[in-house]
Amino acid sequence: MARFLVLYVVLQAALLVAPLQPLKNALAGFVGNVLGVPYAGPYLFAGNTVFEITNSCTGLVSGIILASVVFAFRKPNLKAKTKLFLAGFFVLFPLNVVRVTGIVWTAMKTNPAWAEALHVITWFLVSGLILALWYYLSVRFAGVKNLNELL
């Protein structure tokens, strides 16, 4: 647990100060183009609601959580952990784009309160998915049959 917390805190702190403007702008542009809403830089203008794509909205938080879980354990070996992380991240990142698009769409079609509720609900669903991906990919890439094998 201590390794997980150290990895998570260090990676999260790095994310908060990382210069991700091009990624934030690209995500806002993609969502804006898909939904037909105006955008400028990391901002989306959905009716009366302005959304700002922050570093935490990029999908990298999901990757950080996955990396922290994967690399906190002693097993499997580094190569298997790296494969596990990359496979999971390539599922989580596009899922986050869909998630952000759905939140903005919800604000456009209903109201900002529903979009905020969806934001929270989908965050918990993605967190559960991260753990499920970790378990599935641990079995797939590391041949783990029992979670005790990871300790």
Side-chain angles (χ1 to χ4, degrees):
M1 185 61 125
R3 279 190 292 242
F4 168 82
L5 289 174
V6 168
L7 282 168
Y8 177 78
V9 168
V10 167
L11 293 172
Q12 183 66 24
L15 175 68
L16 293 177
V17 298
L20 297 177
Q21 202 63 37
L23 179 58
K24 296 186 305 186
N25 293 351
L27 180 55
F30 178 82
V31 172
N33 286 326
V34 166
L35 297 177
V37 299
Y39 61 91
Y43 298 97
L44 291 150
F45 306 96
N48 293 330
T49 306
V50 178
F51 288 90
E52 179 184 5
I53 303 297
T54 67
N55 285 15
S56 296
C57 301
T58 60
L60 298 179
V61 172
S62 298
I64 286 170
I65 294 170
L66 180 63
S68 298
V69 171
V70 168
F71 291 103
F73 289 93
R74 289 189 179 113
K75 295 180 182 177
N77 63 41
L78 184 59
K79 183 178 179 180
K81 285 179 184 180
T82 302
K83 284 182 181 178
L84 192 158
F85 167 72
L86 291 174
F89 186 73
F90 285 113
V91 169
L92 293 170
F93 189 78
L95 179 64
N96 185 69
V97 173
V98 171
R99 178 178 173 260
V100 170
T101 304
I103 291 165
V104 175
W105 181 86
T106 300
M108 289 171 40
K109 298 297 182 182
T110 61
N111 65 58
W114 284 101
E116 183 58 31
L118 183 63
H119 181 257
V120 172
I121 291 166
T122 57
W123 170 244
F124 282 106
L125 290 173
V126 169
S127 296
L129 177 63
I130 291 167
L131 294 176
L133 271 172
W134 166 69
Y135 179 74
Y136 171 77
L137 294 171
S138 291
V139 170
R140 174 133 168 85
F141 286 110
V144 172
K145 304 283 188 273
N146 181 333
L147 290 179
N148 288 334
E149 294 176 43
L150 294 171
L151 302 176

